[in-house]
Amino acid sequence: MLAPQAHLTDEDRERGLRNLILEAGFPNATGAMTTGVILTAFALHMGASNAVIGVLAALPFLAQLLQAPAILLVERLRARKRVAVLSSVAGRLMLAVMAALAFFGGGPIALLGLVVAPAGFCSPGAIGSCAWNAWIKDVAPDARLGRVFSRRTIYATASSLVFGLAAAILLDRAPEGTSLRDWAFAALYGCGAI
């Protein structure tokens, strides 16, 4: 299933393009529920210092440095689909770790986990995106790239809007300093992992 295919039928290509468009909503929903202001709120809930929050803000950018060696990995393995999918799964597992961290409270171990888990989420994402870009170039014909990616953008934007607002409402209804807030963060990161 993840092995490279020598030839795509027209039916395979059309199914792949439909799935490519629909798939856009999922990573954007995950991002809306687990990164940005949600991650900052989670860090503050865990008692993170300004320095920890600064590290969390820098992680996605630092992880992009992994794209350079990822090019070599993708070229060596010649299995773009496998690299993209396995990287995505590895990153999502880190979101499950973050869901569990919601119940650890503050403290140095929990804060270390709060830095390591997002690094483990961002790093495979940088590697996987390198493989994904090359893989998708073979799936989507040049003549249809604009239409396919404009539709992807619509799904991605709608998903980010809906799930971002849902996350904000959930956190707004979970009072700070209560176990309900722990459960709210665990739910957001658990849903992001799924």
Side-chain angles (χ1 to χ4, degrees), residues 13 30 56 63 74 84 89 92 95 123 126 132 138 141 180:
R13 184 179 307 278
T30 296
L56 290 173
V74 170
V89 169
R92 296 307 182 268
L95 293 177
S123 298
W132 187 86
D138 285 345
L180 191 58

Side-chain angles (χ1 to χ4, degrees), residues 5-163:
Q5 291 177 251
H7 177 70
L8 282 178
T9 66
D10 288 340
E11 182 181 315
D12 288 339
R13 184 179 307 278
E14 290 307 314
R15 184 176 64 249
L17 290 173
R18 279 192 308 274
N19 289 339
L20 176 65
I21 292 166
L22 294 175
E23 176 270 341
F26 292 99
N28 283 279
T30 296
M33 293 186 295
T34 62
T35 62
V37 295
I38 303 299
L39 179 58
T40 302
F42 187 38
L44 290 171
H45 176 71
M46 301 284 286
S49 66
N50 289 341
V52 170
I53 293 171
V55 168
L56 290 173
L59 281 174
F61 303 104
L62 290 172
Q64 293 307 309
L65 295 173
L66 292 173
Q67 285 199 21
I71 293 168
L72 299 173
L73 176 73
V74 170
E75 284 299 312
R76 181 180 176 108
L77 295 178
R78 297 292 214 199
R80 296 170 298 187
K81 187 184 336 182
R82 183 174 291 134
V83 171
V85 171
L86 294 179
S87 295
S88 179
V89 169
R92 296 307 182 268
L93 290 175
M94 290 297 105
L95 293 177
V97 169
M98 291 182 72
L101 282 174
F103 300 109
F104 278 67
I109 302 291
L111 290 175
L112 177 63
L114 186 64
V115 171
V116 170
F121 173 71
C122 295
S123 298
I127 294 167
S129 66
C130 178
W132 187 86
N133 287 334
W135 172 31
I136 295 309
K137 180 69 174 112
D138 285 345
V139 174
D142 289 341
R144 294 176 60 192
L145 275 176
R147 189 172 54 185
V148 167
F149 278 90
S150 67
R151 291 185 66 204
R152 268 185 65 83
T153 301
I154 291 168
Y155 280 93
T157 303
S159 176
S160 293
L161 177 66
V162 168
F163 284 91

